[in-house]
């Protein structure tokens, strides 16, 4: 079962309908926990983890990065979406930088393919040491990867739904 | 958190309002009254009844006119939201956006500029599941506009029932329409719901229809 982590400021919030529910609907059977409830044990019992995005004006997740130290040792597949990607980058020393993108835009993947994606962020991240940059927009890095850890700044649950499922199954 | 709901009186904004009320404090409704029947952003059929809807639900309405010219209506929307922020100290906006990145990203942008939270509780929902939820939650929804093939005049004024949802699902399979009208195929109006203290009762109506486009005009309505 995939562990879906809600990074919204409040547990069981109205915002989770927008940022967590669509991911759960794509993955099917999954277990949703708020970021304040994630434990290493829950991660190890799961088949993989998704760290979801949050609202544009919600920056609370940046105060909870210490809760994600388990990312350094886990071998599970982890997909970080937007705020979730920023958290993974931050845990591995990649700085968070102000960079706003809102709406549909094109990213360029490392293999030369371009893709339309949906973006919704006031912050982006620098590539942490040991990660490989996979995709960029004109403004910033959009996807980085290190082994089983994948960070995407855009929201694949909106326009790139297959990517979410494909990452785990 | 004090929230304002972008409200058209249609099914999506009313369901979004219900969901917002279950989690947060909704203090006002906000309606853009568009003069352009082909607005990219806003629902237009029977939008003049938003005031009566707000009265039925028991919430104050911030009503704001807009010419409906493509980019001007975004400035008008920003003004309307700013007015609601000043008048009711709202900290966020709720919309009934389901799938339109065009609409959603423009409203997100405005809210972000005004430092307001933006909530879209129906975002990426399966359209048939939304229609079924409306029925489960005892919404009375009437189709007040059709704007695509193969919708005939008989659809105007029809109430949403399990059979109508089945028909819309069949049309989705056959013609690839959006069954909840997300592509502008149909527009709806909510006559009653768990939010309504009193239902809307139509006293006088007429339909105008030509070439798969028509409107069910509600000329006179009262609270039941």
């Amino acid at each position: 079962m995939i562990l879906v982590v809600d990074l919204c400021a409040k547990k069981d919030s109205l915002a989770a309908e927008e940022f967590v529910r669509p991911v759960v609907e794509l993955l099917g059977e999954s277990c949703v926990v708020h970021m304040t409830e994630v434990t290493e044990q829950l991660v190890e019992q799961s088949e993989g983890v998704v760290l979801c995005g949050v609202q544009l004006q919600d920056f609370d997740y940046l105060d909870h990065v210490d809760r994600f130290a388990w990312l350094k040792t886990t071998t599970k597949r982890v997909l970080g979406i937007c705020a979730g990607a920023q958290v993974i980058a931050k845990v591995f020393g990649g700085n968070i930088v102000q960079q706003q993108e809102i709406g549909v835009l094109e990213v360029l993947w490392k293999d030369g393919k371009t893709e339309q994606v949906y973006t919704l962020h006031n912050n982006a991240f620098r590539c942490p040491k040991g990660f490989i940059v996979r995709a960029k927009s004109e403004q910033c890095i959009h996807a980085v990867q290190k082994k089983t850890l994948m960070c995407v700044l855009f929201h694949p649950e909106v326009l790139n739904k297959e990517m979410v499922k494909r990452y785990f199954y | 958190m004090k929230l304002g709901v972008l409200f058209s009186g249609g099914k999506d904004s009313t369901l979004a309002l219900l969901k917002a009320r279950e989690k947060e404090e909704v203090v006002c409704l906000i309606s853009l009254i568009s003069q352009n029947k082909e607005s990219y952003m806003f629902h237009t059929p029977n939008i003049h009844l938003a005031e009566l809807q707000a009265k039925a639900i028991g919430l104050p309405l911030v009503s704001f006119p807009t010419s409906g010219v493509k980019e001007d209506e975004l400035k008008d929307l920003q003004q309307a939201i700013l007015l609601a922020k000043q008048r009711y100290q709202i900290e966020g906006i709720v919309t009934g956006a389901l799938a339109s990145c065009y609409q959603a990203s423009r409203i997100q942008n405005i809210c972000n500029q005004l430092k307001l939270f933006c909530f879209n509780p129906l975002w990426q929902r399966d359209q048939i599941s939304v229609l079924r939820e409306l029925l489960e939650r005892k919404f009375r929804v009437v189709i007040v506009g059709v704007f695509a093939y193969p919708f005939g005049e008989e659809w105007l004024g029809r109430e949403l029932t399990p059979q109508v949802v089945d028909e819309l699902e069949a049309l989705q399979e056959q013609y690839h329409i959006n069954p909840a009208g997300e592509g502008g195929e149909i527009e709806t109006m909510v006559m009653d719901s768990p939010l309504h203290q009193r239902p809307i009762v139509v006293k006088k109506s007429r339909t105008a229809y030509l070439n798969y486009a028509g409107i069910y005009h509600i000329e006179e309505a009262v609270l039941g």
Side-chain angles (χ1 to χ4, degrees):
Chain A
M1 191 181 294
I2 305 295
L3 187 67
V4 178
V5 184
D6 174 2
L7 272 71
C8 299
K10 271 166 65 176
K11 184 185 170 183
D12 191 27
S13 66
L14 185 60
E17 287 289 321
E18 182 176 349
F19 296 97
V20 180
R21 183 202 23 85
V23 173
V24 171
E25 286 176 357
L26 283 175
L27 292 171
E29 204 180 348
S30 45
C31 173
V32 177
V33 290
H34 190 247
M35 63 181 167
T36 55
E37 300 169 329
V38 185
T39 62
E40 206 161 341
Q41 192 185 2
L42 276 175
V43 170
E44 290 314 309
Q45 284 168 353
S46 73
E47 291 171 53
V49 183
V50 181
L51 307 182
C52 298
V54 301
Q55 291 169 292
L56 279 171
Q57 288 293 317
D58 181 354
F59 303 102
D60 213 55
Y61 63 96
L62 292 171
D63 297 331
H64 292 267
V65 173
D66 290 348
R67 295 179 183 276
F68 295 88
W70 52 266
L71 283 163
K72 286 187 173 169
T73 52
T74 190
T75 53
K76 302 286 177 179
R77 292 182 83 81
V78 182
L79 174 64
I81 299 173
C82 199
Q86 293 168 42
V87 164
I88 297 173
K90 183 87 175 151
V91 165
F92 285 89
N95 286 335
I96 306 297
V97 292
Q98 283 188 4
Q99 180 63 64
Q100 186 189 94
E101 285 174 318
I102 300 172
V104 179
L105 53 78
E106 197 168 79
V107 295
L108 174 65
W109 289 92
K110 203 183 171 196
D111 63 7
K113 285 183 190 154
T114 58
E115 192 165 26
Q116 298 273 305
V117 300
Y118 185 69
T119 61
L120 194 67
H121 57 91
N122 280 316
N123 287 331
F125 54 84
R126 299 265 188 251
C127 184
K129 204 173 169 188
F131 281 68
I132 297 164
V133 176
R134 294 272 181 215
K136 284 178 176 180
S137 69
E138 280 186 8
Q139 306 288 339
C140 57
I141 292 170
H142 263 268
V144 299
Q145 188 170 14
K146 179 187 180 184
K147 294 181 182 170
T148 58
L149 306 177
M150 178 78 172
C151 308
V152 289
L153 191 57
F154 60 88
H155 286 262
E157 75 278 18
V158 178
L159 291 183
N160 318 88
K161 293 182 167 67
E162 277 303 308
M163 181 187 293
V164 178
K165 283 189 271 187
R166 210 171 52 224
Y167 192 66
F168 293 102
Y169 303 116
Chain B
M1 186 185 290
K2 287 184 175 180
L3 300 178
V5 176
L6 287 185
F7 184 73
S8 67
K11 60 178 172 44
D12 299 336
S13 61
T14 312
L15 183 57
L17 164 62
L18 180 62
K19 287 179 180 289
R21 267 201 164 171
E22 288 171 348
K23 304 269 184 182
E24 300 289 344
E25 182 190 4
V26 177
V27 293
C28 69
L29 304 177
I30 304 163
S31 290
L32 271 285
I33 312 296
S34 179
Q35 309 299 316
N36 179 2
K37 288 177 184 161
E38 291 171 3
S39 168
Y40 283 86
M41 284 294 290
F42 308 119
H43 168 122
T44 55
N46 300 302
I47 189 68
H48 63 284
L49 293 176
E51 189 87 47
L52 189 68
Q53 291 269 36
K55 206 170 160 189
I57 290 166
L59 279 169
L61 177 73
V62 176
S63 175
F64 202 87
T66 176
S67 64
V69 176
K70 199 172 179 181
E71 292 305 322
D72 284 354
E73 61 185 2
L74 294 174
K75 289 180 197 155
D76 295 332
L77 176 61
Q78 181 153 2
Q79 286 302 309
I81 293 173
L82 188 58
L83 190 62
K85 187 180 180 187
Q86 289 162 349
R87 202 177 282 175
Y88 296 102
Q89 291 78 51
I90 56 169
E91 300 156 85
I93 289 292
V94 181
T95 88
L98 247 85
S100 166
C101 293
Y102 175 86
Q103 281 182 328
S105 61
R106 276 153 181 79
I107 297 169
Q108 290 277 8
N109 219 330
I110 290 170
C111 289
N112 200 41
Q113 283 174 38
L114 297 175
K115 305 274 183 235
L116 290 170
F117 286 88
C118 184
F119 295 89
N120 301 286
L122 307 184
W123 188 236
Q124 300 301 304
R125 278 283 302 270
D126 171 74
Q127 294 187 45
I128 290 291
S129 84
V130 169
L131 297 177
R132 297 208 192 284
E133 183 177 352
L134 289 162
L135 295 176
E136 280 161 20
R137 289 185 176 241
K138 311 286 181 210
F139 277 61
R140 276 196 55 227
V141 179
V142 167
I143 295 172
V144 294
V146 297
F147 305 98
Y149 183 83
F151 289 104
E153 190 170 5
E154 71 280 6
W155 283 87
L156 293 172
R158 264 186 108 177
E159 189 170 326
L160 197 70
T161 62
Q163 187 197 326
V164 170
V165 175
D166 288 345
E167 285 179 44
L168 288 166
E169 196 169 17
L171 291 178
Q172 178 187 25
E173 281 170 26
Q174 194 174 353
Y175 297 102
H176 304 290
I177 59 135
N178 291 283
E182 187 60 16
E185 295 93 336
I186 57 172
E187 295 279 8
T188 61
M189 183 166 162
V190 176
M191 299 298 175
D192 201 6
S193 78
L195 293 159
H196 285 62
Q197 293 160 2
R198 295 165 71 185
I200 306 285
V201 177
V202 177
K203 288 287 182 187
K204 193 178 168 193
S205 66
R206 69 181 166 85
T207 59
Y209 180 87
L210 186 68
N211 293 336
Y212 304 104
I215 290 178
Y216 176 72
H217 288 285
I218 299 172
E219 296 181 321
E220 194 186 333
V222 294
L223 297 184

